[in-house]
Amino acid sequence: ASRTQAAEMIRAGGVGVNSRIVRSPVVWVDPKKDNITLDAEPLRQKKLIYLAMNKPVGVVTTRSDERGRGTVYDLLSNDSRWLFPVGRLDKDSSGLLLFTNDTRFGDKVTSPSGKVPKTYLVQVDKVLQPYDCRLMQSSFVLSDGTVLRPAKVTVDDGCKKDFRITIVEGKNREIRRMCSELGYKVRTLKRVSIGLVILGSLGEGKVRPLAPHEVHALMPERGALQT
């Protein structure tokens, strides 16, 4: 269940710990030692799943869409009901998107304190000027007061409208907002890596499991688990 649904089950008296009904969702338990039941049936520890997707443009990162647009869940298998995306990519962006049922892993990868680098290939509508490039690599402040951490920017020598940018925070539409305030319109935006996990040759709309070493690179305490 989702965390909200789980809390409702607990408050309704459906969850027991060591043969006692617990109605508070904030009670600490040890899954290795405590006997936890739901409606008197013992719970088993779930298998942790870690997936990488190459999200196409036009697909939204939600479970369902009121406008009838395709979602990332249309590209996942039928047994992915309880998987959630680790971060987001907006409809007009493409590339690497991770999925898991491991909330600690998701929090670690998306939290600014984790400082997990995320790299994107970007094309804008005109040549990126050196001054603007330097601004992106400083502590950039948006007009609404949002402070962005310094990014790493590498401009393509062959086409100076194309550049690679690495950020460690990932605020909502951060790259698009930064480009807009500098007077550029983003034509394409594709995420190609999250930490040491790279998009590589994964086909558009395709999904693959993360290898144990990739999980370990993002969260060392999970490295021994098999996907």
Side-chain angles (χ1 to χ4, degrees):
S2 68
R3 280 182 283 189
T4 300
Q5 291 170 326
E8 291 173 351
M9 294 176 187
I10 294 168
R11 294 190 181 99
V15 175
V17 179
N18 300 327
S19 301
R20 295 182 61 184
I21 297 299
V22 175
R23 296 181 182 272
S24 172
V26 298
V27 171
W28 285 91
V29 299
D30 185 342
K32 294 181 180 179
K33 298 179 181 179
D34 295 321
N35 177 33
I36 305 171
T37 59
L38 174 62
D39 296 332
E41 294 292 328
L43 295 183
R44 295 187 299 271
Q45 188 170 7
K46 65 185 178 183
K47 177 185 178 182
L48 297 178
I49 298 172
Y50 309 90
L51 302 177
M53 172 188 289
N54 184 353
K55 187 192 93 67
V57 170
V59 175
V60 294
T61 311
T62 56
R63 189 170 295 277
S64 60
D65 183 70
E66 67 281 358
R67 295 165 60 183
R69 296 172 295 184
T71 81
V72 291
Y73 285 90
D74 296 329
L75 304 174
L76 295 172
S77 61
N78 293 331
D79 61 354
S80 59
R81 181 181 178 190
W82 298 115
L83 298 182
F84 62 87
V86 180
R88 304 178 72 84
L89 283 173
D90 63 46
K91 179 178 70 71
D92 297 321
S93 300
S94 64
L96 183 61
L97 182 63
L98 304 183
F99 289 84
T100 188
N101 58 353
D102 183 348
T103 54
R104 289 184 60 197
F105 176 86
D107 290 343
K108 175 72 177 292
V109 175
T110 57
S111 172
S113 62
K115 297 182 179 179
V116 176
K118 302 168 184 69
T119 300
Y120 301 77
L121 299 181
V122 184
Q123 183 182 82
V124 290
D125 61 337
K126 56 187 177 182
V127 172
L128 182 64
Q129 298 299 314
Y131 176 74
D132 293 330
C133 184
R134 289 193 295 271
L135 284 176
M136 290 182 179
Q137 296 185 93
S138 65
S139 293
F140 194 93
V141 182
L142 299 175
S143 58
D144 63 1
T146 301
V147 179
L148 305 180
R149 294 185 180 183
K152 180 180 179 181
V153 180
T154 305
V155 179
D156 190 320
D157 290 335
C159 178
K160 296 186 182 299
K161 296 179 182 179
D162 296 344
F163 62 94
R164 177 183 293 260
I165 182 170
T166 301
I167 59 178
V168 294
E169 194 164 18
K171 291 183 177 178
N172 182 40
R173 297 175 65 86
E174 174 176 337
I175 296 172
R176 292 183 183 276
R177 293 163 68 195
M178 182 164 49
C179 288
S180 177
E181 297 219 359
L182 291 173
Y184 301 91
K185 181 178 180 180
V186 173
R187 287 180 171 171
T188 62
L189 192 154
K190 182 177 185 177
R191 184 158 61 201
V192 293
S193 69
I194 299 174
L196 295 181
V197 179
I198 63 173
L199 182 64
S201 60
L202 184 64
E204 187 175 88
K206 300 298 183 182
V207 179
R208 69 168 178 86
L210 293 188
H213 75 271
E214 291 177 311
V215 177
H216 174 77
L218 292 172
M219 191 174 186
E221 55 267 46
R222 291 288 194 258
L225 298 175
Q226 296 296 314
T227 57

